[in-house]
Amino acid sequence: MSNPPLTSPLLDMPLLPPFDQLQPQQVEPAITALIDQCDRVLDTGLKNPGWDSTLAPLEQAQDQLNRAFSPVSHLNSVLSGPWREPYEAALAKVTGYWTELGQNRDLYGVYQQLAQSPEFAGWPQARRKAVELGLRDFVLSGVGLEGEARDKFAANSRRLAELSSQFANNVLDATNAWTWHTEDAAELAGLPQTALAAARAAAEAKGRDGWLITLDGPAYLAVMTHADNRALRRQVHTAFVSRASDTGPNGGEYDNSAVMEEILALRAEQAQLLGMANYAELSLASKMAHDNDKVLEFLNDLAARAKPAAEREFAELQNFARDELGLDELQPWDIAWAAEKLKQERYAISQEELRPYFPYDRVLAGLFTVVEKLFEVSVQRDESVPTWHPDVQYFWLSRNGERIAGFYLDPFAREKKRGGAWMDSVCVRRQTPDGLQLPVAYLVCNFSSPAADNMPSLLTHYEVTTLFHEFGHGLHHMLTQIDVAAVSGINGVAWDAVELPSQFLENWCWEPQAIALISGHYESGAPLPQALLDKMLAARNFQSAMFAVRQLEFALFDFRLHCREQGASAAKIQQLLDEVRAQVAVVPVAEENRFQHGFSHIFAGGYAAGYYSYKWAEVLSADAFSLFEEQGIFDADTGRKFLHAILEQGGSRDALELFTEFRGREPEIDALLRHSGIEQLELNINPG
């Protein structure tokens, strides 16, 4: 392949990627050149070991590589199509580079030498922590392995990256492969206007009349929650829960069975090569909870105490469905629909009734006001910044008139965009030879788009909390004051603490003072009526125990799956999931359900043997918020304290130490139980 042109924007990336100039064909030559540059910098640095002579120049070269790969990876997630092939080629190269670097004994020796030097104790905290975490990560990357074991570990690492990408591709392709079309409005009875408008727009985009139902999140949830057509609910449910599997309408076409089997086998082998019993043990080596038994005890104890409440909730739903809806037996495709009817009867409120009061633009402006009050930052849109899609907006964060960070916001669902919501890094805050590099983030959601008839995007309250959640991650990345890349922002933060800021910020979605800022009728601007607000707050913990055991089902399945000494066949994976469901689940499961085949968190994301982190961090976030409940939800001193102790510190200090500094004590579970409506449960398992 010829050398990349010197003008390739990926080779000398500015702070903000020039998305209007990026082309798929630029990717592979640029990534190759930047990896070669990293290798040359390392070779030079090893001749004169030291922080300033080795690690700082290497950080600079790796930052250039990361900032080139970031938009490529991102475009593959939000546009797919022409970016998939160049992304996968680049991923293979980047994975190979990091794998080889993790086993570089000469560089490992530099880290050891620095850690043992007399002056190390007097170094800035962030530098010391970066070296300590580096030493840990070298060991976890197989630096101590010899010969065949060393080669095997490296080959496995490269293959795991390929498989994770393949898993995600299969889920996306399976999601896009299925649609359901009708020109008979009667078949869509019960669907709210927002969902009908989206379905009509989806049909028009394909050049068809009528309505088109897809498996995108908003469309799927609308049908399952509101469609009175039971046969339609069953069809959509079956298609969704069987995605990327051996069954369902596209059974075998995008099947992740073999992908899962190989991922689990390789993970188990990686752990054993490092002398560990299983992959869960390897995963916990970099988390707050260092012990498999402690995690299982935490999850099992919570499940045992939550399940009786969940069973009561489900029995209520069954009785209601039988007596009021004429359903003698609740099927999986009836659950959300019946639950919505019960919620309406009990609280006279629905997410659809709230939607008109949560127009996207109003919610966004209110979110910015909340953050400004808490952390003394302001947010301004910059329309001059090029983006990858017309829906995407770019914003700067400023404090005292000075820009301190930025973020892209891609809010709406569309074809070929990965489902779900996430935050990712464009670049990290770090000190460069030319000055301070500001942190920049991607924030991605999948809300319903504005309708063609000028109706704005109207959010459910659940979607409002999703936006706050991702912005919490973004603040963790953007408000850091650390300037060493390895521990800046979310880098170096224990994975089971990384959800603390995101879950923490969700709390403001339930506070009347904050709701007044994020709501207002999309036509009149009228505030959310007090009666509706009261109903919304009263319904907050509706079926909360059922939701809790569902999350615990995912967490226990993930953790037990990775506690196995060996991998597992697709049949064994299903068997384990069935066992976990027998232990904690209360709702029926469709025969075609292959949830595991679409569980991207653990097979294509960073949550393998780590899904428990959501519950673990929920203890931290609820306890942290309880201080605001005591002092006032917009108390400036408490906001400043959270900013300084948690958001600004990144991974420069241990998560438990930072939490204790903020709260004045170690975490307690009482606040979580109170927020969940199950405060009478007394758990004796606490993170830390």
Side-chain angles (χ1 to χ4, degrees):
M1 183 174 287
S2 61
N3 290 329
L6 293 176
T7 54
S8 172
L10 291 172
L11 278 173
D12 189 18
M13 185 66 72
L15 182 70
L16 304 180
F19 283 104
D20 53 345
Q21 299 173 34
L22 299 184
Q23 300 293 329
Q25 64 269 23
Q26 298 165 345
V27 174
E28 200 168 353
I31 295 298
T32 300
L34 290 168
I35 289 174
D36 289 345
Q37 178 177 294
C38 288
D39 289 338
R40 288 194 300 273
V41 169
L42 177 59
D43 288 343
T44 302
L46 289 175
K47 293 170 186 170
N48 181 24
W51 178 276
D52 292 325
S53 52
T54 311
L55 301 194
L58 186 58
E59 180 189 285
Q60 173 72 9
Q62 290 172 345
D63 184 66
Q64 288 181 277
L65 173 61
N66 290 338
R67 288 195 296 117
F69 185 61
S70 167
V72 176
S73 173
H74 180 71
L75 289 169
N76 178 59
S77 293
V78 295
L79 294 180
S80 193
W83 290 96
R84 179 177 291 185
E85 199 173 314
Y87 162 72
E88 290 180 346
L91 176 66
K93 290 178 181 293
V94 170
T95 304
Y97 168 75
W98 288 109
T99 300
E100 195 173 313
L101 191 80
Q103 297 188 341
N104 188 308
R105 289 181 180 167
D106 292 333
L107 183 57
Y108 180 48
V110 175
Y111 274 79
Q112 290 176 308
Q113 185 179 322
L114 292 173
Q116 293 161 9
S117 66
E119 60 270 20
F120 184 72
W123 277 16
Q125 170 66 26
R127 283 193 183 187
R128 288 204 314 276
K129 192 66 172 180
V131 170
E132 290 165 6
L133 293 180
L135 288 168
R136 179 199 72 189
D137 292 342
F138 271 112
V139 173
L140 298 181
S141 298
V143 75
L145 299 177
E146 301 287 352
E148 188 179 334
R150 183 185 182 87
D151 295 341
K152 186 69 178 167
F153 192 94
N156 287 358
S157 297
R158 290 191 290 270
R159 180 62 179 151
L160 281 166
E162 292 174 10
L163 290 165
S164 292
S165 182
Q166 188 180 338
F167 187 95
N169 289 342
N170 286 343
V171 175
L172 178 61
D173 291 344
T175 301
N176 289 332
W178 188 92
T179 57
W180 181 88
H181 177 254
T182 186
E183 294 184 18
D184 182 2
E187 292 198 88
L188 299 173
L191 281 188
Q193 284 304 310
T194 51
L196 290 171
R200 185 175 286 284
E204 287 173 359
K206 297 290 186 184
R208 306 177 77 172
D209 295 328
W211 298 267
L212 191 72
I213 300 297
T214 71
L215 296 182
D216 285 336
Y220 170 73
L221 289 172
V223 170
M224 299 317 300
T225 308
H226 301 288
D228 295 330
N229 182 342
R230 195 183 192 194
L232 173 60
R233 292 202 308 271
R234 179 173 186 170
Q235 247 185 300
V236 174
H237 181 268
T238 300
F240 189 85
V241 301
S242 63
R243 288 176 304 159
S245 78
D246 56 332
T247 187
N250 293 100
E253 199 171 344
Y254 308 101
D255 190 0
N256 267 330
S257 297
V259 181
M260 291 188 299
E261 291 177 351
E262 191 175 353
I263 286 174
L264 292 172
L266 291 176
R267 284 176 179 168
E269 188 171 38
Q270 294 295 75
Q272 288 169 358
L273 286 168
L274 294 177
M276 298 180 183
N278 49 55
Y279 185 80
E281 193 177 317
L282 172 54
S283 173
L284 292 190
S286 56
K287 293 181 171 67
M288 284 179 74
H290 295 300
D291 181 78
N292 287 13
D293 290 341
K294 184 169 188 176
V295 173
L296 288 169
E297 187 180 357
F298 174 74
L299 294 174
N300 285 325
D301 196 6
L302 196 50
R305 295 168 188 273
K307 189 176 182 183
E311 287 173 329
R312 288 194 297 274
E313 289 175 353
F314 186 62
E316 290 171 359
L317 186 62
Q318 286 177 306
N319 293 337
F320 173 79
R322 183 189 63 242
D323 298 341
E324 304 297 330
L325 304 177
L327 293 177
D328 290 333
E329 186 176 0
L330 270 181
Q331 296 294 342
W333 45 88
D334 299 323
I335 306 294
W337 179 77
E340 181 67 15
K341 299 288 187 191
L342 176 58
K343 189 176 181 181
Q344 278 276 32
E345 185 192 78
R346 185 172 295 175
Y347 301 104
I349 194 170
S350 74
Q351 290 283 338
E352 290 305 314
E353 199 174 353
L354 293 168
R355 263 192 207 269
Y357 291 95
F358 292 107
Y360 169 74
D361 287 343
R362 179 64 183 255
V363 173
L364 193 61
L367 166 61
F368 295 161
T369 302
V370 168
V371 169
E372 185 171 352
K373 284 173 172 284
L374 287 172
F375 307 123
E376 298 169 340
V377 292
S378 59
V379 187
Q380 303 88 26
R381 184 175 178 190
D382 186 342
E383 296 187 40
S384 70
V385 175
T387 64
W388 55 92
H389 191 276
D391 289 344
V392 179
Q393 300 168 300
Y394 182 81
F395 299 89
W396 291 106
L397 251 64
S398 300
R399 180 176 285 128
N400 301 323
E402 181 183 352
R403 288 176 177 175
I404 59 171
F407 65 96
Y408 296 88
L409 182 52
D410 185 350
F412 305 126
R414 58 179 176 270
E415 194 175 6
K416 296 188 176 165
K417 178 181 175 183
R418 182 157 66 88
W422 68 91
M423 186 283 289
D424 204 355
S425 168
V426 180
C427 55
V428 299
R429 185 182 195 271
R430 55 178 293 274
Q431 195 64 46
T432 79
D434 301 318
L436 189 67
Q437 175 174 289
L438 300 183
V440 181
Y442 303 112
L443 299 175
V444 185
C445 298
N446 272 283
F447 305 142
S448 297
S449 300
D453 57 2
N454 292 324
M455 181 183 286
S457 173
L458 303 176
L459 306 188
T460 64
H461 188 256
Y462 172 78
E463 289 174 326
V464 173
T465 62
T466 297
L467 181 62
F468 270 67
H469 180 102
E470 299 309 331
F471 204 75
H473 281 308
L475 291 175
H476 203 184
H477 174 73
M478 293 187 288
L479 295 185
T480 187
Q481 286 295 297
I482 304 302
D483 56 12
V484 176
V487 289
S488 176
I490 65 169
N491 289 347
V493 177
W495 198 262
D496 42 8
V498 84
E499 296 294 335
L500 164 57
S502 53
Q503 294 177 334
F504 165 80
L505 200 61
E506 287 183 38
N507 287 289
W508 274 262
C509 300
W510 296 98
E511 292 295 323
Q513 280 178 269
I515 291 170
L517 299 172
I518 62 175
S519 63
H521 196 278
Y522 76 97
E523 289 176 318
S524 65
L528 185 67
Q530 186 66 41
L532 263 185
L533 175 61
D534 291 343
K535 292 173 185 176
M536 185 181 95
L537 296 177
R540 176 177 183 176
N541 289 318
F542 176 67
Q543 294 187 339
S544 61
M546 283 173 61
F547 177 79
V549 295
R550 180 89 169 127
Q551 289 296 300
L552 289 163
E553 173 190 321
F554 300 163
L556 276 165
F557 166 66
D558 162 47
F559 205 78
R560 287 182 55 186
L561 188 63
H562 288 103
C563 279
R564 296 172 58 93
E565 290 185 10
Q566 305 295 333
S569 66
K572 287 282 187 188
I573 295 170
Q574 184 66 58
Q575 182 183 332
L576 175 61
L577 182 54
D578 292 342
E579 288 173 13
V580 171
R581 283 173 172 157
Q583 176 192 347
V584 302
V586 298
V587 299
V589 176
E591 186 180 340
E592 306 87 355
N593 188 302
R594 296 292 184 274
F595 161 76
Q596 62 274 28
H597 287 70
F599 198 3
S600 296
H601 273 78
I602 70 167
F603 289 114
Y607 285 85
Y611 198 85
Y612 77 90
S613 300
Y614 283 102
K615 277 295 169 197
W616 189 273
E618 214 176 326
V619 174
L620 305 176
S621 62
D623 197 10
F625 182 66
S626 68
L627 187 58
F628 284 86
E629 291 178 305
E630 294 167 15
Q631 304 296 328
I633 66 158
F634 288 121
D635 181 67
D637 289 341
T638 311
R640 232 172 273 124
K641 195 174 179 183
F642 189 84
L643 172 69
H644 297 328
I646 307 291
L647 298 177
E648 290 185 347
Q649 299 300 320
S652 66
R653 290 163 59 196
D654 289 342
L656 182 60
E657 180 187 331
L658 292 175
F659 180 91
T660 305
E661 180 177 306
F662 168 70
R663 199 64 183 86
R665 54 166 172 73
E666 293 200 357
E668 296 174 356
I669 203 166
D670 311 48
L672 171 61
L673 299 177
R674 178 165 45 80
H675 289 175
S676 304
I678 47 175
E679 58 185 309
Q680 70 274 22
L681 307 185
E682 293 182 4
L683 299 189
N684 42 25
I685 305 293
N686 286 318

